[in-house]
Amino acid sequence: AQSVTQLDSHVSVSEGTPVLLRCNYSSSYSPSLFWYVQHPNKGLQLLLKYTSAATLVKGINGFEAEFKKSETSFHLTKPSAHMSDAAEYFCVVSETGGSYIPTFGRGTSLIVHP
Amino acid sequence: EPEVTQTPSHQVTQMGQEVILRCVPISNHLYFYWYRQILGQKVEFLVSFYNNEISEKSEIFDDQFSVERPDGSNFTLKIRSTKLEDSAMYFCASTPLDTYQPQHFGDGTRLSIL
């Protein structure tokens, strides 16, 4: 069985400061992990993915995430927040070898203050 | 870049009526999915479709729901006898080959049941 927990429902940062969105997962198999972003009234856009290659994954718009198996975490970071980063972010896990149906976290709303 | 397109963007329907939500997946993709996101809640998997048949479905996807690929491009979700609790955003997604690749999402259809 797989599950994913996004530890913060809301994260508030000032423009230009670092962003950290936390995600923990559980999986009985080798997981594939994804971060998606959802802007208001839009679909989900893939930011980055981990599929058992490099543990530090770089994505679009300056985001990156590090897969830490020992901590079962896949936190999303960005060195400097922009106003345009304000959106809902979803961590998703899919099991390679198990049920491939992806499981979504509940989402973290990123608020960026000027 | 190719996109998944969904129509309509907003559908308002009386309770008890049938609705059909339409999706055009990316043309060379083979796996298709429907998800639901009730306002303020997490994204939930409904069903996946491959080779003209359902691959997986969740507990949510009961006899009220059906999917169809009526031609070579469209992928539809039909909801019979709609209920108030069917009000949600419905997202279509597709992947090229296998189910462990990230999914490409449409912008969603907001379904409002009155």
Side-chain angles (χ1 to χ4, degrees), chain A residues 36 38 42-43 95 100 102 104, chain B residues 35 42 48 91 103 106-107:
Chain A
Y36 286 86
Q38 183 183 28
K42 300 292 285 185
E95 289 184 325
Y100 71 88
F104 281 72
Chain B
Y35 292 85
K42 64 193 300 184
S48 63
F91 292 103
Q103 299 175 358
D107 285 345

Side-chain angles (χ1 to χ4, degrees), chain B residues 30-56:
Chain B
L30 301 178
Y31 290 83
F32 316 117
Y33 312 83
W34 282 102
Y35 292 85
R36 179 181 78 178
Q37 185 181 29
I38 295 172
L39 184 63
Q41 299 187 23
K42 64 193 300 184
V43 176
E44 301 171 293
F45 169 80
L46 291 178
V47 65
S48 63
F49 193 86
Y50 170 72
N51 200 27
N52 287 318
E53 61 183 28
I54 291 174
S55 301
E56 298 262 359

